[in-house]
Amino acid sequence: YLLMEFAFDEDPEFAEIMVDRILEMKITPVIAHPERYRFMQQNYDIVNHLADIGVLFQVNSSSLAGFCGNEAKELAVAMVSSGIASFIGTDAHSVAHRPNNLLEQIKLFSAPLDFDTCDRLLDKNARTILAGGVFERGRIYPIHRKRFF
């Protein structure tokens, strides 16, 4: 497994090339905070395609809580609801700059998660890959961007 991160305004073709290279090495990519990448916000088909080819995703709890904007929140909620998200992370970089406020953020999730989903996305899935186990995603559903005109 390899945790990958892109620039928020990354070229989607470059991202796909990088993912393909990692997959060719028989390594499973885990993309950090996909909901914050503009190219994924604009085209949910990219997320669906990457999920179909075996990419795993870690969404940020801050996005689910609405701290990263509406586009990020909408995509994060869709990914969790559809089973495409494999992990929820905090994006905590330091105690001072970006602390782990997970417990406060969970209270702000617009779509409350049941215990089993929280347990899987916050604990069990990470423990599985850290222990060298085989990750089984389970059933996923394609996501579609909501459009309001």
Side-chain angles (χ1 to χ4, degrees), residues 1 15 17 29 31 41 50 60 73 77 93 101 103 117 138 143:
Y1 298 93
I17 290 168
I31 297 181
Q41 291 174 352
L50 292 172
N60 282 354
K73 182 177 181 176
V77 168
H93 286 225
N101 292 326
L103 294 178
T117 301
I143 58 175

Side-chain angles (χ1 to χ4, degrees), residues 12 17 24 35 41 87 91-92 128 141:
I17 290 168
E24 287 169 4
E35 74 281 2
Q41 291 174 352
F87 313 95
D91 203 28
T128 296
Y141 300 91

Side-chain angles (χ1 to χ4, degrees), residues 46-60:
I46 293 172
V47 177
N48 292 324
H49 168 70
L50 292 172
D52 287 345
I53 63 173
V55 173
L56 304 180
F57 299 97
Q58 176 183 298
V59 300
N60 282 354

Side-chain angles (χ1 to χ4, degrees), residues 16 52 62 65 85 89 111 132 142:
E16 187 171 359
D52 287 345
S62 57

Side-chain angles (χ1 to χ4, degrees), residues 21-114:
R21 287 185 180 170
I22 299 302
L23 288 168
E24 287 169 4
M25 293 187 280
K26 307 293 185 218
I27 298 172
T28 301
V30 179
I31 297 181
H33 46 71
E35 74 281 2
R36 294 175 62 192
Y37 301 131
R38 180 159 288 133
F39 69 96
M40 292 191 187
Q41 291 174 352
Q42 294 173 342
N43 187 349
Y44 285 19
D45 288 340
I46 293 172
V47 177
N48 292 324
H49 168 70
L50 292 172
D52 287 345
I53 63 173
V55 173
L56 304 180
F57 299 97
Q58 176 183 298
V59 300
N60 282 354
S61 57
S62 57
S63 295
L64 289 165
F67 296 140
C68 298
N70 291 334
E71 298 272 343
K73 182 177 181 176
E74 181 182 322
L75 179 52
V77 168
M79 292 178 75
V80 168
S81 300
S82 69
I84 289 177
S86 308
F87 313 95
I88 295 175
T90 63
D91 203 28
H93 286 225
S94 72
V95 174
H97 178 60
R98 271 194 267 182
N100 178 350
N101 292 326
L102 181 61
L103 294 178
E104 290 83 16
Q105 292 171 357
I106 286 175
K107 296 174 190 173
L108 300 174
F109 290 0
S110 60
L113 303 178
D114 62 77

